[in-house]
Amino acid sequence: MRVAITGGAGYVGSALVPYLIDLGHEVTVLDLFLYGENVFNGLRQPGRLACVKGDIRNPADLAKAFKGAEAVIHLACISNDPSFELDPHLGKSINYDAFAKILAAVRGCGARRFIYASSSSVYGVQDVPNVREDTPCLPLTDYSKFKLLCEQDLQAADLGGCERVVIRPATVCGYAPRMRLDLTVNILSIHALVRKLITVHGGGQLRPNINIRDMIEAYRILLEAPADKVAGQTFNAGYENHSVADIAEMVRAEVRDPAVQIKVEPTVDNRSYHINSDRIANLLGFRARHTIRDAVRSICDAYAGGLMPDPMGDRRYYNIKTMQAVGLR
Ligand SMILES: NC(=O)c1ccc[n+]([C@@H]2O[C@H](COP(=O)([O-])OP(=O)(O)OC[C@H]3O[C@@H](n4cnc5c(N)ncnc54)[C@H](O)[C@@H]3O)[C@@H](O)[C@H]2O)c1
């Protein structure tokens, strides 16, 4: 299949693109390459990848990247609350205003399927023990509110014959060529490795996670599944719902360094949530197979192998530091 991926040079994309190429798909990435240009250096079949360095806010860039695409996966985003809040006008222009242009470009290119990366943060904090896809959403931040608004616009849009599907992933963890060290498991892991100290704020809050290996498999399934199983659907995608304190213990166990200490500090952020991913398992047969401990191990291996030479100092691992530095308007 010919697949166009916006934001394909980001954390998830940098693992997804080589995966799809290895499976025989042809991929075009549309990305500003904010976090580096060399994420695809190790590709085994570089001829199957085309890169468009451009902006999703620019219809000409969208038309170029989507030309001939049979499916579009939309990942590009200012992808966490602090980076969004750094410049809410910019954040809205990318995370929401561009969405209508993307939908117009999808319709224009004749793609058969459009996959939208939303987020499980659209649920906000819920009292129910199992947050399912039909649980009413209560997004708490602008980042999450615009994720939900895009979902609603997508379901209401006229896309011709194009099938649409929404995925609401948990927090992703594990090593990828464009690494993010601002996500829960990844932060705790790198702090254990470099500082020998894991600081846990609160600790009792439940945080749903998904290993990046499972995340990219979920996208593959959404891409390849029969239309009647995915068209118009919304799926949660998570695996392990652990407390932050448990995650810290797992990290310490997997880092295998007796010097690592865990320090607990009070927090005002007691957000706790538990997402249920039965639906994607029952309808599409997706089951997460890679654990949080596997993710921690992948980070340990990458660090030991010199793949993250300056993990605390290199701003590319931290979305907010990069956004502060690049001066995007
Ligand atoms: N990583 C997670 O834990 C997680 C969890 C839930 C949902 N998501 C969603 O999955 C998607 C991918 O997340 P990620 O962690 O890979 O994010 P990321 O920040 O690593 O990647 C986003 C990519 O989008 C690109 N980009 C930003 N603005 C752009 C623009 N105007 N034009 C073109 N490209 C632009 C960036 O250069 C970057 O490569 C996002 O939509 C995110 O909200 C991620």
Side-chain angles (χ1 to χ4, degrees), residues 74-81 84 94-96 99 116-123 137 139 141-154 166-169 219:
H74 176 39
L75 303 176
C77 194
I78 301 302
S79 34
N80 62 11
D81 293 333
F84 186 99
I94 294 174
N95 291 11
Y96 185 63
F99 197 66
Y116 174 53
S118 183
S119 164
S120 58
S121 67
V122 295
Y123 295 114
C137 294
T141 63
D142 282 345
Y143 164 78
S144 312
K145 284 178 194 158
F146 287 122
K147 281 283 182 199
L148 185 61
L149 271 180
C150 289
E151 286 191 22
Q152 292 164 348
D153 289 0
L154 176 61
V166 172
I167 187 162
R168 293 175 177 164
Y219 281 111

Side-chain angles (χ1 to χ4, degrees), residues 14 17-19 21-22 39-50:
S14 73
V17 169
Y19 187 55
I21 285 178
D22 283 349
V39 283
F40 301 120
N41 279 0
L43 270 192
R44 277 188 285 270
Q45 299 175 79
R48 288 183 180 275
L49 174 69

Side-chain angles (χ1 to χ4, degrees), residues 10-12 31 55-56 75 79 118 143 147 172 178 180 319:
Y11 174 53
V12 172
D31 201 298
D55 197 313
I56 58 166
L75 303 176
S79 34
S118 183
Y143 164 78
K147 281 283 182 199
V172 187
R178 135 51 183 165
R180 276 185 73 177
N319 283 16

Side-chain angles (χ1 to χ4, degrees), residues 147-305:
K147 281 283 182 199
L148 185 61
L149 271 180
C150 289
E151 286 191 22
Q152 292 164 348
D153 289 0
L154 176 61
Q155 301 302 4
D158 172 9
L159 290 187
C162 181
E163 300 134 18
R164 64 206 82 188
V165 54
V166 172
I167 187 162
R168 293 175 177 164
T171 304
V172 187
C173 56
Y175 180 75
R178 135 51 183 165
M179 190 54 185
R180 276 185 73 177
L181 292 173
D182 56 2
L183 299 165
T184 318
V185 172
N186 300 358
I187 300 174
L188 298 184
S189 303
I190 206 67
H191 283 202
L193 287 163
V194 178
R195 294 187 170 155
K196 314 286 178 210
L197 178 67
I198 307 173
T199 306
V200 174
H201 298 276
Q205 318 94 305
L206 283 179
R207 288 295 155 87
N209 291 277
I210 183 168
N211 188 305
I212 193 153
R213 309 305 317 164
D214 291 320
M215 184 77 257
I216 62 178
E217 173 62 3
Y219 281 111
R220 181 199 67 77
I221 289 175
L222 294 186
L223 196 61
E224 297 179 354
D228 60 330
K229 298 221 165 147
V230 292
Q233 302 285 353
T234 298
F235 295 103
N236 288 344
Y239 178 22
E240 297 177 274
N241 289 278
H242 289 289
S243 70
V244 179
D246 285 349
I247 295 172
E249 285 298 347
M250 284 180 213
V251 169
R252 175 155 66 181
E254 201 54 46
V255 166
R256 297 174 197 162
D257 179 346
V260 172
Q261 303 285 315
I262 296 178
K263 187 168 139 201
V264 179
E265 291 194 340
T267 181
V268 286
D269 178 7
N270 283 312
R271 286 176 304 145
S272 186
Y273 35 89
H274 180 182
I275 69 163
N276 175 293
S277 302
D278 287 352
R279 192 152 193 274
I280 193 168
N282 296 338
L283 269 175
L284 301 178
F286 168 78
R287 278 187 184 75
R289 293 191 172 79
H290 302 272
T291 63
I292 290 182
R293 286 187 65 151
D294 294 336
V296 177
R297 178 98 322 260
S298 72
I299 295 168
C300 296
D301 291 346
Y303 181 59

